[in-house]
Coordinates of all heavy atoms in Angstrom, one line a residue:
M1 N 41.8 32.6 -33.8 CA 42.2 31.7 -34.9 C 42.7 32.6 -36.0 O 42.4 33.7 -36.2 CB 40.9 31.0 -35.3 CG 41.2 30.1 -36.5 SD 39.8 29.2 -36.9 CE 40.4 27.4 -36.7
H2 N 43.8 32.2 -36.5 CA 44.5 33.0 -37.5 C 43.7 32.9 -38.8 O 43.1 32.0 -39.2 CB 45.8 32.3 -37.8 CG 46.8 33.2 -38.4 ND1 46.9 33.3 -39.7 CD2 47.7 34.0 -37.9 CE1 47.7 34.3 -40.0 NE2 48.5 34.7 -38.9
L3 N 43.5 34.2 -39.4 CA 42.7 34.3 -40.5 C 43.3 33.6 -41.7 O 42.6 33.2 -42.7 CB 42.7 35.9 -40.9 CG 41.9 36.7 -39.9 CD1 41.8 38.0 -40.3 CD2 40.4 36.2 -39.9
A4 N 44.5 33.3 -41.9 CA 45.1 32.6 -42.9 C 44.6 31.2 -43.0 O 44.6 30.7 -44.1 CB 46.6 32.5 -42.8
L5 N 44.1 30.6 -41.8 CA 43.6 29.3 -41.9 C 42.1 29.3 -42.6 O 41.7 28.4 -43.2 CB 43.5 28.7 -40.7 CG 44.9 28.2 -39.9 CD1 44.7 27.8 -38.6 CD2 45.6 27.2 -40.8
I6 N 41.4 30.4 -42.2 CA 40.0 30.6 -42.9 C 40.1 31.0 -44.2 O 39.3 30.5 -45.1 CB 39.2 31.5 -41.8 CG1 39.1 31.0 -40.5 CG2 37.8 31.7 -42.4 CD1 38.5 31.8 -39.5
F7 N 40.8 32.0 -44.5 CA 40.9 32.6 -46.0 C 42.4 32.3 -46.4 O 43.3 33.2 -46.1 CB 40.6 34.1 -45.8 CG 39.2 34.4 -45.2 CD1 39.2 35.0 -43.9 CD2 38.2 34.1 -46.0 CE1 37.9 35.4 -43.5 CE2 36.9 34.4 -45.4 CZ 36.9 35.0 -44.2
P8 N 42.5 31.4 -47.0 CA 44.0 30.9 -47.5 C 44.4 32.0 -48.4 O 43.7 32.7 -49.2 CB 43.8 29.7 -48.3 CG 42.4 29.2 -47.9 CD 41.6 30.2 -47.6
S9 N 45.7 32.3 -48.4 CA 46.4 33.2 -49.2 C 46.2 32.9 -50.6 O 46.3 31.6 -51.0 CB 47.9 33.2 -48.8 OG 48.7 33.8 -49.8
P10 N 46.2 33.8 -51.5 CA 46.1 33.6 -53.0 C 47.3 33.0 -53.4 O 47.4 32.3 -54.5 CB 45.9 34.9 -53.6 CG 46.0 36.0 -52.6 CD 46.0 35.3 -51.2
R11 N 48.4 33.1 -52.7 CA 49.8 32.5 -53.0 C 49.8 31.0 -52.8 O 50.7 30.4 -53.3 CB 50.9 33.1 -52.3 CG 51.1 34.5 -52.6 CD 52.2 35.2 -52.0 NE 51.6 35.5 -50.5 CZ 52.3 35.8 -49.5 NH1 53.5 35.9 -49.6 NH2 51.7 36.1 -48.3
M12 N 48.7 30.4 -52.2 CA 48.8 29.0 -51.9 C 48.5 28.2 -53.1 O 47.6 28.6 -54.0 CB 47.7 28.5 -50.8 CG 48.2 29.0 -49.3 SD 46.8 28.5 -48.3 CE 46.8 26.8 -48.2
S13 N 49.0 27.1 -53.3 CA 48.8 26.3 -54.5 C 47.5 25.6 -54.4 O 46.9 25.4 -53.3 CB 49.8 25.2 -54.7 OG 49.9 24.2 -53.7
T14 N 46.9 25.2 -55.4 CA 45.7 24.4 -55.4 C 45.7 23.2 -54.8 O 44.8 22.8 -53.8 CB 45.2 24.1 -56.9 OG1 45.2 25.3 -57.7 CG2 43.9 23.6 -57.0
R15 N 46.9 22.5 -54.7 CA 46.9 21.1 -53.9 C 46.9 21.5 -52.5 O 46.4 20.8 -51.7 CB 48.3 20.5 -54.4 CG 48.5 19.2 -53.6 CD 49.8 18.5 -54.1 NE 49.5 17.9 -55.4 CZ 50.4 17.3 -56.1 NH1 51.7 17.4 -55.8 NH2 50.1 16.7 -57.2
A16 N 47.7 22.7 -52.1 CA 47.8 22.9 -50.7 C 46.3 23.4 -50.2 O 45.8 23.0 -49.0 CB 48.6 24.2 -50.5
K17 N 45.5 24.1 -51.1 CA 44.2 24.5 -50.6 C 43.4 23.2 -50.5 O 42.5 23.0 -49.6 CB 43.6 25.3 -51.7 CG 44.2 26.8 -51.6 CD 43.6 27.6 -52.7 CE 44.4 28.9 -52.8 NZ 43.8 29.9 -53.9
A18 N 43.6 22.3 -51.4 CA 42.6 21.0 -51.4 C 43.1 20.1 -50.1 O 42.2 19.7 -49.5 CB 43.0 20.1 -52.6
T19 N 44.4 20.2 -49.8 CA 44.8 19.4 -48.6 C 44.2 20.1 -47.3 O 43.7 19.4 -46.4 CB 46.3 19.4 -48.5 OG1 46.9 18.8 -49.7 CG2 46.8 18.7 -47.2
L20 N 44.2 21.3 -47.3 CA 43.7 22.2 -46.1 C 42.1 21.9 -46.1 O 41.7 21.5 -44.9 CB 43.9 23.7 -46.2 CG 43.2 24.6 -45.2 CD1 43.9 24.2 -43.9 CD2 43.5 26.0 -45.5
A21 N 41.4 22.0 -47.2 CA 40.0 21.7 -47.2 C 39.7 20.2 -46.7 O 38.9 20.0 -45.9 CB 39.5 22.0 -48.4
A22 N 40.5 19.3 -47.2 CA 40.3 17.9 -46.8 C 40.5 17.6 -45.3 O 39.8 16.9 -44.7 CB 41.2 17.0 -47.7
S23 N 41.6 18.2 -44.9 CA 41.9 18.1 -43.5 C 40.9 18.8 -42.6 O 40.6 18.2 -41.4 CB 43.4 18.6 -43.1 OG 43.5 20.0 -43.3
L24 N 40.3 19.9 -42.9 CA 39.3 20.4 -42.2 C 38.1 19.6 -42.2 O 37.4 19.5 -41.2 CB 38.9 21.9 -42.7 CG 40.0 22.9 -42.4 CD1 39.6 24.3 -43.2 CD2 40.0 23.1 -40.9
A25 N 37.7 19.1 -43.4 CA 36.6 18.2 -43.5 C 36.7 16.9 -42.7 O 35.9 16.6 -41.9 CB 36.3 17.8 -45.0
F26 N 37.9 16.4 -42.7 CA 38.1 15.2 -42.0 C 38.0 15.4 -40.4 O 37.5 14.6 -39.7 CB 39.5 14.6 -42.4 CG 39.8 13.2 -41.7 CD1 39.2 12.1 -42.0 CD2 40.8 13.3 -40.7 CE1 39.5 10.9 -41.4 CE2 41.1 12.0 -40.0 CZ 40.4 10.9 -40.3
S27 N 38.6 16.5 -40.0 CA 38.7 16.9 -38.6 C 37.2 17.1 -38.1 O 36.8 16.6 -37.0 CB 39.5 18.2 -38.3 OG 40.9 17.8 -38.5
S28 N 36.5 17.8 -38.9 CA 34.9 18.0 -38.6 C 34.3 16.8 -38.5 O 33.5 16.6 -37.4 CB 34.4 18.9 -39.6 OG 35.1 20.2 -39.7
F29 N 34.5 15.9 -39.3 CA 33.9 14.5 -39.3 C 34.3 13.7 -38.0 O 33.4 13.2 -37.4 CB 34.2 13.7 -40.5 CG 33.6 12.4 -40.6 CD1 32.4 12.1 -40.7 CD2 34.5 11.3 -40.2 CE1 31.8 10.8 -40.6 CE2 34.1 10.0 -40.1 CZ 32.6 9.7 -40.3
I30 N 35.5 13.8 -37.7 CA 35.9 13.1 -36.5 C 35.3 13.7 -35.3 O 34.8 13.0 -34.5 CB 37.6 13.2 -36.4 CG1 38.2 12.3 -37.5 CG2 37.9 12.6 -35.1 CD1 37.9 10.8 -37.4
I31 N 35.3 15.0 -35.2 CA 34.6 15.8 -34.1 C 33.1 15.3 -33.9 O 32.6 15.1 -32.9 CB 34.8 17.3 -34.1 CG1 36.3 17.5 -34.0 CG2 33.9 17.9 -33.1 CD1 36.6 19.0 -34.1
W32 N 32.4 15.3 -35.1 CA 31.1 14.9 -35.1 C 30.8 13.5 -34.8 O 29.9 13.2 -33.9 CB 30.4 15.2 -36.6 CG 29.1 14.6 -36.5 CD1 27.9 15.3 -36.2 CD2 28.6 13.3 -37.1 NE1 26.8 14.4 -36.5 CE2 27.2 13.2 -36.9 CE3 29.3 12.2 -37.5 CZ2 26.5 12.1 -37.3 CZ3 28.6 11.2 -37.9 CH2 27.3 11.1 -37.8
A33 N 31.6 12.6 -35.2 CA 31.6 11.2 -34.9 C 31.8 11.0 -33.5 O 31.1 10.1 -32.8 CB 32.6 10.3 -35.7
V34 N 32.8 11.6 -32.8 CA 33.0 11.3 -31.4 C 31.8 11.8 -30.6 O 31.4 11.2 -29.7 CB 34.3 12.1 -31.0 CG1 34.6 12.1 -29.5 CG2 35.5 11.3 -31.6
H35 N 31.4 13.0 -31.0 CA 30.3 13.6 -30.2 C 29.0 12.7 -30.4 O 28.3 12.4 -29.4 CB 29.9 15.1 -30.8 CG 28.6 15.6 -30.3 ND1 28.6 16.1 -28.9 CD2 27.4 15.8 -30.8 CE1 27.3 16.5 -28.8 NE2 26.6 16.3 -29.8
H36 N 28.7 12.3 -31.6 CA 27.7 11.2 -31.8 C 27.9 10.0 -30.8 O 26.9 9.5 -30.3 CB 27.4 10.9 -33.2 CG 26.4 10.0 -33.6 ND1 25.1 10.4 -33.5 CD2 26.4 8.8 -34.0 CE1 24.3 9.4 -33.8 NE2 25.1 8.4 -34.2
Q37 N 29.0 9.4 -30.9 CA 29.3 8.2 -30.1 C 29.1 8.5 -28.6 O 28.5 7.7 -28.0 CB 30.7 7.7 -30.4 CG 31.1 6.4 -29.7 CD 32.4 6.1 -29.9 OE1 33.2 6.8 -30.5 NE2 32.8 4.9 -29.4
Q38 N 29.5 9.6 -28.1 CA 29.4 9.8 -26.7 C 27.9 10.1 -26.4 O 27.4 9.7 -25.3 CB 30.1 11.2 -26.4 CG 31.7 11.1 -26.2 CD 32.4 12.4 -26.0 OE1 31.8 13.4 -26.2 NE2 33.5 12.3 -25.6
S39 N 27.1 10.6 -27.2 CA 25.6 10.9 -27.0 C 25.0 9.5 -27.0 O 24.1 9.2 -26.1 CB 25.1 11.7 -28.2 OG 25.6 13.0 -28.1
R40 N 25.4 8.5 -27.9 CA 24.8 7.2 -27.9 C 25.1 6.5 -26.6 O 24.3 5.8 -26.1 CB 25.3 6.5 -29.1 CG 24.2 6.1 -30.1 CD 24.6 5.1 -31.2 NE 25.9 4.5 -31.0 CZ 26.8 4.4 -31.9 NH1 26.7 5.1 -33.1 NH2 27.9 3.8 -31.7
E41 N 26.4 6.6 -26.2 CA 26.9 5.8 -25.0 C 26.2 6.4 -23.7 O 25.8 5.6 -22.9 CB 28.4 6.0 -24.8 CG 29.2 5.1 -25.8 CD 30.7 5.4 -25.7 OE1 31.1 6.4 -25.0 OE2 31.4 4.6 -26.4
R42 N 26.0 7.7 -23.8 CA 25.3 8.3 -22.5 C 23.9 7.8 -22.4 O 23.4 7.5 -21.4 CB 25.3 9.8 -22.8 CG 24.8 10.6 -21.5 CD 24.9 12.1 -21.7 NE 26.2 12.5 -22.1 CZ 26.3 13.3 -23.4 NH1 25.3 13.5 -24.1 NH2 27.5 13.5 -23.8
E43 N 23.2 7.7 -23.7 CA 21.8 7.2 -23.8 C 21.7 5.8 -23.3 O 20.9 5.4 -22.6 CB 21.1 7.4 -25.2 CG 19.7 6.9 -25.3 CD 18.7 7.7 -24.4 OE1 19.0 8.9 -24.1 OE2 17.7 7.0 -23.9
D44 N 22.7 4.9 -23.9 CA 22.7 3.5 -23.5 C 23.0 3.2 -22.0 O 22.3 2.5 -21.3 CB 23.9 2.8 -24.2 CG 23.6 2.5 -25.7 OD1 22.4 2.8 -26.1 OD2 24.6 2.4 -26.4
M45 N 23.8 4.2 -21.4 CA 24.1 4.1 -19.8 C 22.8 4.3 -19.1 O 22.5 3.8 -18.1 CB 25.3 4.9 -19.4 CG 26.5 4.5 -19.8 SD 27.9 5.3 -19.2 CE 27.6 6.9 -19.2
F46 N 22.1 5.4 -19.6 CA 20.8 5.9 -19.0 C 19.8 4.7 -19.1 O 19.1 4.5 -18.1 CB 20.3 7.1 -19.5 CG 19.0 7.6 -19.0 CD1 19.0 8.1 -17.6 CD2 17.8 7.6 -19.7 CE1 17.8 8.5 -17.1 CE2 16.6 8.1 -19.1 CZ 16.8 8.4 -17.8
Q47 N 19.7 4.0 -20.2 CA 18.8 3.1 -20.3 C 19.1 1.8 -19.4 O 18.3 1.1 -18.9 CB 18.7 2.5 -21.8 CG 18.1 3.5 -22.8 CD 16.7 3.8 -22.4 OE1 15.9 2.9 -22.0 NE2 16.3 5.1 -22.6
G48 N 20.4 1.6 -19.2 CA 20.9 0.5 -18.3 C 20.4 1.0 -16.9 O 20.0 -0.1 -16.1
V49 N 20.4 2.2 -16.5 CA 20.0 2.5 -15.1 C 18.6 2.2 -15.1 O 18.1 1.8 -13.9 CB 20.3 4.1 -14.8 CG1 19.6 4.5 -13.6 CG2 21.7 4.2 -14.7
I50 N 17.8 2.6 -16.0 CA 16.3 2.2 -16.1 C 16.1 0.8 -15.9 O 15.2 0.4 -15.1 CB 15.6 2.9 -17.3 CG1 15.8 4.5 -17.2 CG2 14.2 2.3 -17.4 CD1 15.2 5.2 -18.4
R51 N 16.8 0.0 -16.6 CA 16.6 -1.5 -16.5 C 17.0 -2.0 -15.1 O 16.4 -2.9 -14.6 CB 17.5 -2.1 -17.6 CG 16.9 -2.1 -19.1 CD 17.6 -3.1 -20.0 NE 19.0 -2.7 -20.1 CZ 19.6 -2.0 -20.8 NH1 18.9 -1.3 -21.8 NH2 20.9 -1.8 -20.9
D52 N 18.1 -1.4 -14.6 CA 18.5 -1.8 -13.3 C 17.4 -1.5 -12.2 O 17.0 -2.3 -11.3 CB 19.7 -1.2 -12.8 CG 21.0 -1.8 -13.6 OD1 20.9 -2.8 -14.3 OD2 22.0 -1.1 -13.6
D53 N 16.8 -0.4 -12.3 CA 15.8 0.1 -11.4 C 14.5 -0.9 -11.6 O 13.9 -1.3 -10.6 CB 15.4 1.4 -11.6 CG 16.3 2.5 -11.2 OD1 17.2 2.1 -10.4 OD2 16.3 3.6 -11.5
A54 N 14.2 -1.3 -12.8 CA 13.1 -2.1 -12.9 C 13.3 -3.5 -12.5 O 12.4 -4.1 -11.8 CB 12.8 -2.2 -14.5
R55 N 14.5 -4.0 -12.7 CA 14.9 -5.4 -12.0 C 14.9 -5.3 -10.5 O 14.5 -6.2 -9.8 CB 16.4 -5.7 -12.5 CG 16.4 -6.6 -13.7 CD 17.8 -7.1 -13.9 NE 18.2 -6.7 -15.2 CZ 19.2 -6.0 -15.6 NH1 20.0 -5.6 -14.7 NH2 19.4 -5.6 -16.8
R56 N 15.4 -4.2 -9.9 CA 15.3 -4.0 -8.5 C 14.0 -4.0 -7.9 O 13.6 -4.7 -6.9 CB 16.2 -2.8 -8.0 CG 16.2 -2.5 -6.6 CD 17.0 -1.3 -6.1 NE 16.5 -0.2 -7.0 CZ 15.4 0.6 -6.5 NH1 14.8 0.2 -5.5 NH2 15.0 1.5 -7.2
L57 N 13.0 -3.3 -8.6 CA 11.7 -3.2 -8.1 C 11.0 -4.5 -8.3 O 10.2 -4.9 -7.4 CB 10.9 -2.1 -9.0 CG 11.4 -0.7 -8.6 CD1 10.6 0.3 -9.7 CD2 11.0 -0.3 -7.2
E58 N 11.3 -5.3 -9.4 CA 10.7 -6.6 -9.5 C 11.3 -7.6 -8.4 O 10.5 -8.4 -7.9 CB 11.1 -7.2 -10.9 CG 10.5 -8.5 -11.1 CD 9.0 -8.7 -11.1 OE1 8.3 -7.6 -11.3 OE2 8.6 -9.7 -10.9
K59 N 12.4 -7.5 -8.2 CA 13.0 -8.4 -7.1 C 12.4 -8.1 -5.8 O 12.1 -8.9 -5.0 CB 14.6 -8.1 -6.9 CG 15.2 -9.2 -6.1 CD 16.7 -9.0 -6.0 CE 17.3 -9.9 -7.1 NZ 18.8 -9.9 -7.0
M60 N 12.2 -6.7 -5.4 CA 11.6 -6.5 -4.2 C 10.1 -6.8 -4.2 O 9.6 -7.3 -3.2 CB 11.6 -4.8 -4.0 CG 12.9 -4.2 -3.6 SD 13.1 -2.5 -3.5 CE 11.6 -2.1 -2.5
R61 N 9.4 -6.8 -5.3 CA 8.0 -7.3 -5.4 C 7.9 -8.8 -5.0 O 7.1 -9.3 -4.4 CB 7.4 -7.0 -6.7 CG 6.0 -7.2 -6.7 CD 5.4 -7.2 -8.2 NE 6.0 -8.3 -9.1 CZ 5.8 -9.5 -8.9 NH1 4.8 -10.0 -8.0 NH2 6.4 -10.4 -9.7
Q62 N 8.9 -9.4 -5.7 CA 9.0 -11.0 -5.5 C 9.2 -11.3 -4.0 O 8.6 -12.2 -3.5 CB 10.0 -11.5 -6.4 CG 9.6 -11.7 -7.8 CD 10.7 -12.3 -8.7 OE1 11.9 -12.3 -8.2 NE2 10.4 -12.4 -9.9
R63 N 10.2 -10.5 -3.4 CA 10.5 -10.9 -2.1 C 9.3 -10.6 -1.1 O 9.1 -11.2 -0.1 CB 11.7 -10.0 -1.7 CG 12.9 -10.5 -2.2 CD 14.2 -9.7 -1.7 NE 15.4 -10.2 -2.4 CZ 16.5 -9.6 -2.3 NH1 16.7 -8.4 -1.8 NH2 17.7 -10.1 -2.9
E64 N 8.6 -9.4 -1.5 CA 7.5 -9.1 -0.5 C 6.4 -10.3 -0.8 O 5.7 -10.7 0.2 CB 6.9 -7.8 -1.0 CG 7.8 -6.5 -0.5 CD 7.2 -5.3 -1.2 OE1 6.2 -5.2 -1.9 OE2 7.9 -4.4 -0.8
E65 N 6.2 -10.8 -2.0 CA 5.2 -11.8 -2.2 C 5.6 -13.1 -1.5 O 4.9 -13.7 -0.8 CB 5.1 -12.1 -3.7 CG 4.0 -13.2 -4.1 CD 2.7 -12.8 -3.7 OE1 2.3 -11.6 -3.8 OE2 1.9 -13.7 -3.3
E66 N 6.9 -13.4 -1.5 CA 7.5 -14.6 -0.8 C 7.3 -14.3 0.7 O 6.9 -15.3 1.5 CB 8.9 -14.8 -1.1 CG 9.1 -15.3 -2.5 CD 10.6 -15.3 -2.9 OE1 11.5 -14.9 -2.1 OE2 10.9 -15.7 -4.0
F67 N 7.5 -13.2 1.2 CA 7.2 -13.0 2.6 C 5.9 -13.2 3.0 O 5.5 -13.7 4.0 CB 7.8 -11.5 2.9 CG 7.5 -11.2 4.4 CD1 8.3 -11.7 5.4 CD2 6.5 -10.3 4.8 CE1 8.2 -11.3 6.7 CE2 6.3 -9.9 6.0 CZ 7.1 -10.5 7.1
R68 N 4.8 -12.5 2.2 CA 3.4 -12.7 2.4 C 3.1 -14.2 2.4 O 2.3 -14.6 3.4 CB 2.6 -11.9 1.4 CG 2.5 -10.5 1.8 CD 1.5 -9.7 0.9 NE 1.7 -9.7 -0.5 CZ 2.4 -8.8 -1.1 NH1 3.0 -7.8 -0.3 NH2 2.7 -8.8 -2.4
E69 N 3.6 -14.9 1.5 CA 3.3 -16.2 1.3 C 3.9 -17.0 2.6 O 3.2 -18.0 3.2 CB 3.9 -16.9 0.1 CG 3.7 -18.4 -0.1 CD 2.2 -18.8 -0.2 OE1 1.4 -17.9 -0.6 OE2 1.9 -19.9 0.0
S70 N 5.1 -16.8 3.0 CA 5.6 -17.4 4.2 C 4.8 -17.1 5.5 O 4.6 -17.8 6.3 CB 7.1 -16.9 4.3 OG 7.7 -17.3 5.5
S71 N 4.4 -15.8 5.5 CA 3.6 -15.4 6.7 C 2.4 -16.2 6.6 O 1.7 -16.6 7.8 CB 3.3 -13.9 6.7 OG 4.6 -13.2 6.9
R72 N 1.6 -16.3 5.6 CA 0.3 -17.0 5.4 C 0.6 -18.4 5.8 O -0.2 -19.1 6.6 CB -0.2 -17.0 4.0 CG -1.5 -17.5 3.7 CD -2.0 -17.6 2.3 NE -1.0 -18.5 1.5 CZ -1.2 -19.8 1.5 NH1 -2.0 -20.4 2.3 NH2 -0.3 -20.6 0.7
R73 N 1.7 -19.1 5.4 CA 1.9 -20.5 5.7 C 2.2 -20.7 7.2 O 1.8 -21.6 7.8 CB 3.2 -21.0 5.0 CG 2.8 -21.4 3.5 CD 4.1 -21.9 2.8 NE 3.7 -22.1 1.4 CZ 4.8 -22.5 0.6 NH1 6.0 -22.6 1.0 NH2 4.4 -22.6 -0.7
R74 N 2.9 -19.7 7.8 CA 3.2 -19.7 9.2 C 1.9 -19.7 9.9 O 1.8 -20.5 10.9 CB 4.2 -18.6 9.7 CG 4.4 -18.7 11.1 CD 5.4 -17.6 11.4 NE 5.6 -17.6 12.8 CZ 6.6 -17.2 13.6 NH1 7.5 -16.5 12.8 NH2 6.7 -17.2 14.9
E75 N 1.0 -18.8 9.6 CA -0.3 -18.6 10.3 C -1.0 -19.9 10.3 O -1.6 -20.4 11.3 CB -1.0 -17.5 9.7 CG -0.5 -16.2 10.2 CD -1.2 -15.0 9.5 OE1 -2.2 -15.2 8.9 OE2 -0.8 -13.8 9.7
M76 N -1.0 -20.6 9.1 CA -1.8 -21.7 8.8 C -1.2 -22.8 9.6 O -1.9 -23.6 10.3 CB -1.7 -22.2 7.3 CG -2.6 -23.4 7.0 SD -2.3 -23.9 5.2 CE -0.8 -24.4 5.1
Y77 N 0.2 -23.0 9.7 CA 0.8 -24.1 10.5 C 0.7 -23.9 12.0 O 0.4 -24.8 12.8 CB 2.2 -24.2 10.2 CG 2.7 -24.6 8.9 CD1 3.8 -24.2 8.1 CD2 1.8 -25.5 8.2 CE1 4.1 -24.6 6.9 CE2 2.1 -25.9 6.9 CZ 3.3 -25.6 6.3 OH 3.5 -25.9 5.0
E78 N 0.5 -22.6 12.4 CA 0.3 -22.3 13.9 C -1.0 -22.6 14.3 O -1.3 -23.1 15.4 CB 0.7 -20.9 14.2 CG 2.2 -20.5 14.2 CD 2.4 -19.1 14.5 OE1 1.5 -18.2 14.4 OE2 3.6 -18.7 14.5
Q79 N -2.0 -22.6 13.3 CA -3.4 -23.0 13.5 C -3.5 -24.5 13.7 O -4.2 -24.9 14.6 CB -4.3 -22.4 12.5 CG -4.5 -20.9 12.6 CD -5.4 -20.5 11.5 OE1 -5.8 -21.3 10.5 NE2 -5.7 -19.1 11.3
V80 N -2.8 -25.2 12.9 CA -2.9 -26.7 12.8 C -2.0 -27.2 14.0 O -2.6 -28.3 14.5 CB -2.6 -27.2 11.5 CG1 -2.5 -28.6 11.4 CG2 -3.3 -26.6 10.4
Q81 N -0.9 -26.6 14.2 CA 0.1 -27.4 15.1 C 0.1 -26.5 16.4 O -0.1 -25.3 16.5 CB 1.4 -27.4 14.5 CG 1.6 -28.2 13.4 CD 3.0 -28.0 12.6 OE1 3.9 -27.3 13.1 NE2 3.2 -28.8 11.6
N82 N 0.5 -27.2 17.4 CA 0.6 -26.6 18.8 C 2.1 -26.0 18.9 O 3.1 -26.7 18.8 CB 0.5 -27.5 19.9 CG 0.4 -26.8 21.3 OD1 0.3 -25.6 21.3 ND2 0.6 -27.6 22.2
V83 N 2.2 -24.6 18.8 CA 3.5 -24.0 18.8 C 3.8 -23.5 20.2 O 3.1 -22.9 20.9 CB 3.5 -22.8 17.8 CG1 4.8 -22.1 17.8 CG2 3.1 -23.3 16.4
V84 N 5.1 -23.9 20.6 CA 5.6 -23.5 22.0 C 6.7 -22.6 21.7 O 7.7 -22.8 21.0 CB 6.0 -24.7 22.8 CG1 6.5 -24.2 24.2 CG2 4.9 -25.7 22.9
S85 N 6.7 -21.4 22.5 CA 7.7 -20.5 22.3 C 9.0 -21.0 23.0 O 8.9 -22.0 23.9 CB 7.5 -19.1 22.8 OG 7.3 -19.3 24.2
S86 N 10.2 -20.5 22.6 CA 11.4 -20.9 23.3 C 11.5 -20.8 24.8 O 12.1 -21.6 25.5 CB 12.6 -20.3 22.6 OG 12.5 -18.9 22.8
D87 N 10.9 -19.7 25.3 CA 10.7 -19.5 26.8 C 10.0 -20.7 27.5 O 10.4 -21.2 28.5 CB 10.2 -18.2 27.1 CG 11.0 -17.0 26.7 OD1 12.3 -17.3 26.6 OD2 10.5 -15.9 26.5
Q88 N 8.9 -21.0 26.9 CA 8.1 -22.1 27.5 C 8.7 -23.5 27.4 O 8.5 -24.4 28.2 CB 6.7 -22.2 26.8 CG 5.9 -20.9 27.2 CD 4.5 -20.9 26.4 OE1 4.3 -21.7 25.5 NE2 3.7 -19.9 26.7
S89 N 9.4 -23.6 26.2 CA 10.1 -25.0 26.1 C 11.2 -25.2 27.1 O 11.5 -26.4 27.5 CB 10.6 -25.1 24.6 OG 11.6 -24.2 24.4
N90 N 11.8 -24.2 27.5 CA 12.9 -24.4 28.6 C 12.3 -24.8 29.9 O 12.9 -25.4 30.8 CB 13.6 -23.1 28.8 CG 14.5 -22.8 27.5 OD1 14.9 -23.8 26.8 ND2 14.8 -21.5 27.3
K91 N 11.0 -24.5 30.3 CA 10.4 -24.6 31.5 C 9.9 -26.2 31.5 O 9.6 -26.7 32.5 CB 9.3 -23.7 31.7 CG 9.7 -22.3 31.9 CD 8.6 -21.4 32.2 CE 9.1 -19.9 32.2 NZ 8.0 -19.0 32.4
I92 N 9.7 -26.7 30.4 CA 9.1 -28.1 30.3 C 10.0 -29.1 30.7 O 11.0 -29.3 30.8 CB 8.5 -28.3 28.9 CG1 7.4 -27.3 28.6 CG2 8.0 -29.8 28.8 CD1 6.8 -27.5 27.3

């Protein structure tokens, strides 16, 4: 980096020094704001992944519960009804 940007020449006018200082402050603020926004977006995306995993696990739990309930009903119906397999029904 050129030293003239860090240490302005004594020949620079006060208005030029103020403009330089303001542009440096504005640029620094913009860099900080973009960094802060990216950090927030990264955290939001991570939270979205966590929510998606929780939804997926809940859906799997519900499907397992539905499967167990379906199996229980099937066993109950098979006890009550006479069930013939497809091989035996062709012979009848």
Side-chain angles (χ1 to χ4, degrees):
M1 181 175 238
H2 199 275
L3 291 178
L5 290 177
I6 299 172
F7 303 108
S9 162
R11 292 178 284 168
M12 288 179 65
S13 69
T14 304
R15 182 177 281 174
K17 289 177 186 176
T19 302
L20 177 63
S23 66
L24 287 173
F26 183 72
S27 298
S28 298
F29 173 75
I30 292 297
I31 291 170
W32 173 83
V34 168
H35 174 72
H36 181 69
Q37 180 182 9
Q38 287 176 341
S39 297
R40 238 186 23 229
E41 287 174 352
R42 191 176 315 117
E43 180 63 28
D44 290 345
M45 287 190 323
F46 180 70
Q47 292 301 322
V49 169
I50 291 174
R51 283 191 302 269
D52 289 347
D53 284 346
R55 263 188 242 125
R56 184 181 50 81
L57 289 174
E58 177 62 23
K59 188 178 272 190
M60 285 177 53
R61 189 195 63 74
Q62 287 176 351
R63 286 180 179 167
E64 288 174 1
E65 181 63 33
E66 289 171 0
F67 177 75
R68 282 194 291 273
E69 179 65 21
S70 175
S71 296
R72 186 186 64 77
R73 286 182 183 172
R74 180 180 176 158
E75 288 175 5
M76 183 180 71
Y77 292 147
E78 286 177 350
Q79 288 175 359
V80 175
Q81 299 173 357
N82 186 14
V83 179
V84 178
S85 69
S86 61
D87 291 338
Q88 292 176 353
S89 64
N90 290 337
K91 294 177 184 178
I92 298 178

